[in-house]
Amino acid sequence: MKTIDEFRQSLRGVLIEAQDEDYEAARKVYNGMINKYPRMIVRCADVADVMASVNYARENNILLSIRSGGHNAGGLGIADDALVIDLSLIKFTLVDPESKIVMTGGGCTWGDIDHATHAFGMATPSGIISTTGVGGLTTGGGIGHLTRKCGLSIDNLLAVDMVLADGSFVTANASKNEDLFWAVRGGGGNFGVITAFKFKLSPIDMVYAGPMLFELSEAEEVMKWYQDIIKNAPDDLNGFFAFLTVPPVAPFPEHLHLKKMCGVVWAYTGTMEKAEEVFKPIRSYKTPALDFVGPLPQPALQSMFDPLYPPGLQWYWRAHFVKELSDDAIAEHVRFGKELPSMLSTMHLYPINGAASRVGSSDTPWAYRDATWAMVIVGVDADPANKDVITNWTKAYWEALKPYCAAGGYVNFMMDEGEERVKATYGHNYERLVRIKNKYDPNNLFKVNQNIKPVLNVEYK
Ligand SMILES: Cc1cc2nc3c(=O)[nH]c(=O)nc-3n(C[C@H](O)[C@H](O)[C@H](O)COP(=O)(O)OP(=O)(O)OC[C@H]3O[C@@H](n4cnc5c(N)ncnc54)[C@H](O)[C@@H]3O)c2cc1C
């Protein structure tokens, strides 16, 4: 067994402990509500460092966590007294334009990937903020502007390289370690540390996209209209619904500053000529209070909201899957939309119909292929003193919508919804996930996540 000094010397990356100058900055995650004190943070430089870290944690019985972009809702990239495997130095992007594939390091952000692929006029589906990590977003599913066109991020994943609980290195794809490849497409960080992801690329270069805002007094009507569009739209048209407060900054017009509104953030991936035609009926529905929809390079859309949400804000998250917006559900939405507790708090309904719905509900662990939306309610504010206000609003909103939603919610939008909720989310796929966990991580080394607990002494079939 290695001493800590031997472990440190074996690394190409950096080991940071509490007494080190970098510790305070290194232990922070994106969500300012999370304040954890890990025992050590290992900034791994390569796969060898990841293997050494997994072995060191296991042999010394140290809690292990995995951090890619550090954006996790519940801060599950770090934990008190843990060894944190920090992948932020493992950043590379290799685009093969002929095969339309990108290979990325486990520490890349989606901005890194967009930057690399956009140069070739291509993209792979990600989220709506470019600073989110490829690691957490992908292993949980991956919903964003391209979901209706291309499916979830996991639907575009071709292979992973990963380090398992016993320190061994494997590649998993459709024909090699198929059980692992199935499990990592939605099963989170439960099965090992992914050091590289390989994604399929689609020829998406420019998008016709941006926010369209309406008065809050029109929210009921707008939600009904929006539901109708999304349920019948071609795959090329994506649009997520939001309640929001208009930020008091350019380019928003001053008369709208700090006004509570509702709106849709559209993203059309067809040709720019066709876009005008597709948006004609949308624009003729009623004149929006603000229409920022137009041609944009894909990475510009994906990073559009980055400045609004810098790291360190207080975030409280809750999730639901939604099949239908009934009149009663819409009434509850409007009630809580009017009570947004802070400028940055919001509710989003992300469409997951279209291409994502055509993947079988057992083809990956992501069971809710028949839902229309993944809904997220987030209370967000810069001031820790408002923690209770944003948390209480989020919880009350979530409770009020529960009767109108499915049993589960998207794991990546969950913070502290508990084990039963995670089980409900995986539904009929949960048992298979447990069997794979039993095989690859029977002692639950990878437990700082939305945990799939192994059942010891149950043989893997
Ligand atoms: C501002 C913001 C916007 C978001 N927008 C979207 C969105 O549009 N669409 C969407 O789908 N989600 C979105 N999310 C949610 C996001 O997908 C999750 O928070 C996700 O966990 C973040 O990934 P990360 O790598 O940054 O997180 P981290 O905190 O680094 O990691 C989170 C967890 O992921 C697992 N993990 C991370 N990397 C690896 C790896 N390499 N190998 C194995 N396991 C790993 C670990 O279990 C870890 O506990 C958003 C989050 C934020 C904060």
Side-chain angles (χ1 to χ4, degrees):
M1 215 190 286
K2 280 191 180 119
T3 64
I4 186 143
D5 285 335
E6 285 167 339
F7 173 48
R8 187 195 308 276
Q9 279 156 22
S10 75
L11 300 167
R12 276 289 164 108
V14 190
L15 191 156
I16 302 165
E17 290 178 277
Q19 66 273 19
D20 295 327
E21 209 180 299
D22 290 352
Y23 180 78
E24 268 310 301
R27 76 179 181 85
K28 296 237 163 74
V29 285
Y30 183 82
N31 185 350
M33 212 183 261
I34 311 292
N35 186 30
K36 305 273 174 174
Y37 291 86
R39 194 183 307 183
M40 62 187 89
I41 297 150
V42 186
R43 289 221 170 106
C44 296
D46 56 18
V47 177
D49 280 358
V50 176
M51 292 163 108
S53 303
V54 167
N55 288 334
Y56 187 79
R58 190 192 59 252
E59 285 165 7
N60 292 281
N61 206 15
I62 304 173
L63 183 66
L64 185 70
S65 74
I66 310 167
R67 182 168 68 189
S68 170
H71 267 222
N72 187 262
L76 294 171
I78 60 161
D80 284 332
D81 207 28
L83 184 159
V84 179
I85 294 189
D86 178 335
L87 297 165
S88 59
L89 297 181
I90 307 188
K91 267 190 205 276
F92 61 84
T93 42
L94 300 172
V95 179
D96 177 347
E98 257 175 50
S99 313
K100 298 194 172 57
I101 283 172
V102 63
M103 183 99 175
T104 79
C108 281
T109 63
W110 281 102
D112 298 329
I113 298 169
D114 277 338
H115 179 263
T117 62
H118 186 67
F120 297 91
M122 289 187 275
T124 196
S126 56
I128 64 146
I129 298 268
S130 79
T131 51
T132 307
V134 65
L137 183 132
T138 304
T139 53
I143 301 169
H145 298 293
L146 307 182
T147 305
R148 296 197 77 255
K149 175 71 177 171
C150 304
L152 306 171
S153 298
I154 49 172
D155 303 336
N156 294 268
L157 187 64
L158 300 173
V160 290
D161 286 348
M162 61 194 290
V163 176
L164 303 179
D166 63 2
S168 63
F169 172 85
V170 293
T171 292
N173 57 36
S175 57
K176 207 172 171 188
N177 297 309
E178 300 96 305
D179 53 357
L180 260 183
F181 186 54
W182 180 84
V184 299
R185 284 178 291 161
N190 273 284
F191 302 93
V193 187
I194 300 180
T195 52
F197 295 83
K198 191 191 267 189
F199 293 100
K200 181 172 91 182
L201 293 172
S202 297
I204 296 171
D205 181 10
M206 293 293 287
V207 287
Y208 192 89
M212 198 177 263
L213 302 188
F214 300 91
E215 299 292 336
L216 202 54
S217 57
E218 299 170 329
E220 184 187 338
E221 190 193 326
V222 171
M223 279 189 113
K224 288 179 183 170
W225 165 78
Y226 163 76
Q227 163 158 253
D228 199 42
I229 294 182
I230 283 301
K231 285 196 165 173
N232 299 297
D235 287 0
D236 279 334
L237 183 64
N238 199 89
F240 74 83
F241 180 90
F243 286 115
L244 72 152
T245 307
V246 178
V249 289
F252 296 102
E254 263 179 47
H255 71 278
L256 295 182
H257 284 183
L258 294 175
K259 197 171 164 151
K260 286 178 185 158
M261 304 194 79
C262 66
V264 181
V265 179
W266 299 108
Y268 179 74
T269 47
T271 63
M272 293 304 106
E273 297 74 44
K274 185 104 190 279
E276 298 288 351
E277 204 182 297
V278 168
F279 275 86
K280 242 184 220 151
I282 293 176
R283 289 194 163 113
S284 67
Y285 159 63
K286 63 168 66 191
T287 308
L290 181 130
D291 182 350
F292 274 170
V293 187
L296 282 175
Q298 196 280 139
L301 170 66
Q302 208 227 324
S303 55
M304 184 180 270
F305 304 111
D306 289 7
L308 265 185
Y309 291 106
L313 302 171
Q314 306 281 307
W315 288 71
Y316 187 78
W317 297 66
R318 285 277 168 120
H320 278 309
F321 281 123
V322 180
K323 289 186 183 168
E324 185 77 31
L325 293 171
S326 66
D327 290 354
D328 289 347
I330 288 175
E332 290 295 348
H333 274 294
V334 173
R335 184 159 75 92
F336 282 92
K338 284 181 182 160
E339 290 170 12
L340 291 170
S342 65
M343 190 195 85
L344 294 170
S345 297
T346 185
M347 187 288 296
H348 291 173
L349 283 165
Y350 293 100
I352 48 173
N353 59 354
S357 68
R358 291 193 290 274
V359 175
S361 75
S362 299
D363 290 356
T364 69
W366 227 83
Y368 276 93
R369 297 289 181 166
D370 58 346
T372 313
W373 292 278
M375 168 181 164
V376 65
I377 310 166
V378 278
V380 189
D381 197 58
D383 188 350
N386 290 333
K387 182 179 164 181
D388 289 345
V389 176
I390 57 174
T391 302
N392 294 342
W393 171 80
T394 307
K395 284 184 177 168
Y397 193 162
W398 183 84
E399 286 292 347
L401 264 294
K402 215 171 171 182
Y404 310 104
C405 297
Y410 175 36
V411 282
N412 274 353
F413 291 162
M414 279 187 197
M415 192 160 168
D416 55 3
E417 295 182 30
E419 202 178 324
E420 287 312 310
R421 184 82 168 148
V422 174
K423 279 186 188 161
T425 293
Y426 291 117
H428 56 273
N429 291 321
Y430 190 74
E431 223 180 280
R432 188 169 168 194
L433 283 167
V434 174
R435 289 205 303 272
I436 299 172
K437 181 80 171 174
N438 285 347
K439 178 179 173 186
Y440 291 99
D441 187 19
N443 295 312
N444 209 6
L445 184 70
F446 301 112
K447 66 167 130 214
V448 182
N449 44 42
Q450 298 294 352
N451 199 222
I452 294 156
K453 287 201 176 64
V455 181
L456 291 175
N457 305 321
V458 173
E459 214 176 298
Y460 177 74
K461 287 178 222 126

